[in-house]
Amino acid sequence: MILYLFCVVTRNSVCVRRIMINSTKVSYFILSAYVDTGLLKYLWFMFILSLYVLIVCSNVLLIVVICMNRSLHEPMYLFLCSLFVNELFGSTGLFPFLLVQILSDIHTVSFSSCYLQIFCLFSYACMEFFNLAMMSYDRYLAICYPLQYNTRMTFKRVTFLLTVIWSYASFLCLVPVILSSSLQLCGNIINKVYCDNYSISKLACSDITASNIYGLFATGLTIAFPVSLILFSYMRILKVCFCGSKQTRQKAVSTCSPHVASLLNFSFGCFFEIIQSRFDMNDVPNMIRVFLSLYWLTCQPLLNPFLHGLNMKNIRIRCRNLIFL
């Protein structure tokens, strides 16, 4: 936009015409990270499809078990149910898209579909951090205030918290999509296997200051607030564990270990993705770059059902009873 104004002020018609040509409206994007694998694409298709089926089956099974058993309608299990729903939401925003692209000879995606996928993946990441933060706060109340837990974490309060974080995450991730979709673009090639907002922003030939400022603001809210709540909760839990009995320590370890493992796994995955987006990774082999960009979107939906669901005795027994009726 600044360059355009400069051309107008200086009355450089050639410059103006060149910018208008370069910033023609983009109707589709090209995903350049895909490589021609020949007949191996069918093997990759079956592998990705198997992962997606496993994710859907495991998460749906746990959601059904929690919803059908009234004895599991407790805050901890309701937060877990929200987590499993989010895993389905995020994986559905990625895997069907990947499956179509793997079998396609031309790896293009329409303008609207690309931004829809960006919204889904951003919302998934935001909700993952918020869900983990709510789960850590729930464990903090259960371990540090066991006698007051039922009055502090009621069903109505859990419903309110889940409604707030889902609505807040959706709004927080909708704004950057709107800002980015209004940019003038001078290209349509994205060097990834899925749509990414930062990659599209780098194609802009108009002013992206507002988009960058909100992006930093939204990232701070998405990461800083949940992580601060998680650190506060676990500092208080550790304090109680050191001062409490052996039974209290064992309870804290058994309930908090899966949560910590899930948080570390997702945080490392997001860290890899941020590093790859912000720095030049041309020296890194393409397969490693693709793996790092997909890690945070694939490992978390696969691991969480086993870390948080099947690892818990109450859920494991009911899953076994439901499957082997």
Side-chain angles (χ1 to χ4, degrees):
M1 181 62 71
I2 294 175
L3 181 60
Y4 175 77
L5 292 175
F6 173 77
C7 294
V8 172
V9 171
T10 57
R11 297 183 180 180
N12 190 331
S13 59
V14 175
C15 177
V16 172
R17 191 160 53 249
R18 184 177 301 169
I19 290 178
M20 293 303 292
I21 293 173
N22 289 339
S23 62
T24 54
K25 184 172 179 59
V26 172
S27 60
Y28 66 93
F29 294 98
I30 299 172
L31 303 170
S32 62
Y34 287 94
V35 295
D36 184 15
T37 57
L39 294 177
L40 284 177
K41 68 181 182 181
Y42 298 105
L43 182 62
W44 282 112
F45 177 85
M46 293 305 300
F47 176 70
I48 298 296
L49 180 62
S50 300
L51 289 181
Y52 184 51
V53 171
L54 179 60
I55 288 171
V56 171
C57 291
S58 57
N59 283 281
V60 168
L61 172 64
L62 294 172
I63 292 170
V64 170
V65 166
I66 293 174
C67 292
M68 288 181 60
N69 292 271
R70 294 187 61 86
S71 60
L72 298 180
H73 292 181
E74 298 178 6
M76 178 175 64
Y77 299 110
L78 294 177
F79 286 125
L80 282 176
C81 188
S82 174
L83 187 71
F84 300 143
V85 170
N86 191 49
E87 305 303 350
L88 284 176
F89 175 68
S91 56
T92 302
L94 173 71
F95 281 92
F97 178 86
L98 280 181
L99 293 171
V100 171
Q101 291 297 327
I102 288 172
L103 293 181
S104 301
D105 295 325
I106 302 175
H107 306 292
T108 60
V109 56
S110 66
F111 185 88
S112 57
S113 297
C114 192
Y115 280 104
L116 177 61
Q117 185 180 49
I118 290 172
F119 172 75
C120 291
L121 298 185
F122 274 24
S123 300
Y124 162 73
C126 189
M127 270 306 304
E128 194 75 8
F129 276 115
F130 287 162
N131 265 317
L132 293 173
M134 291 297 101
M135 289 167 63
S136 68
Y137 181 69
D138 175 71
R139 292 301 85 205
Y140 156 69
L141 291 180
I143 294 172
C144 299
Y145 301 96
L147 299 180
Q148 305 173 31
Y149 176 75
N150 290 330
T151 57
R152 290 194 177 195
M153 193 61 74
T154 61
F155 179 81
K156 185 179 292 186
R157 182 164 296 180
V158 171
T159 305
F160 172 76
L161 288 174
L162 290 176
T163 303
V164 168
I165 61 176
W166 275 93
S167 303
Y168 180 68
S170 299
F171 174 77
L172 197 66
C173 298
L174 181 62
V175 175
V177 172
I178 294 174
L179 291 174
S180 180
S181 62
S182 62
L183 295 174
Q184 286 184 327
L185 304 179
C186 293
N188 65 341
I189 299 177
I190 302 175
N191 190 26
K192 295 181 79 75
V193 293
Y194 58 87
C195 292
D196 175 64
N197 194 58
Y198 185 75
S199 298
I200 293 177
S201 296
K202 291 191 292 186
L203 299 174
C205 50
S206 58
D207 187 17
I208 60 172
T209 303
S211 180
N212 284 340
I213 291 175
Y214 184 83
L216 292 173
F217 173 74
T219 302
L221 288 179
T222 302
I223 298 176
F225 173 71
V227 171
S228 299
L229 181 58
I230 291 170
L231 290 176
F232 168 79
S233 300
Y234 277 101
M235 285 175 61
R236 297 300 298 271
I237 290 172
L238 286 174
K239 183 179 178 181
V240 170
C241 289
F242 283 128
C243 301
S245 63
K246 182 179 179 180
Q247 184 179 2
T248 302
R249 288 194 294 271
Q250 289 176 343
K251 178 184 177 183
V253 170
S254 63
T255 58
C256 297
S257 295
H259 180 266
V260 173
S262 179
L263 175 65
L264 291 176
N265 178 69
F266 189 67
S267 298
F268 281 126
C270 290
F271 176 76
F272 291 146
E273 174 61 12
I274 292 172
I275 292 296
Q276 182 178 216
S277 299
R278 266 59 178 181
F279 295 95
D280 185 12
M281 302 285 285
N282 290 328
D283 295 333
V284 180
N286 186 63
M287 286 300 296
I288 296 179
R289 280 186 288 164
V290 171
F291 173 78
L292 291 178
S293 67
L294 292 175
Y295 179 84
W296 68 289
L297 293 167
T298 55
C299 287
Q300 196 74 355
L302 279 170
L303 290 177
N304 272 342
F306 298 96
L307 284 174
H308 294 289
L310 300 177
N311 189 43
M312 303 180 70
K313 185 178 179 181
N314 289 342
I315 293 181
R316 187 168 62 248
I317 293 174
R318 285 165 176 79
C319 285
R320 191 185 302 124
N321 294 336
L322 181 65
I323 295 174
F324 302 104
L325 284 175

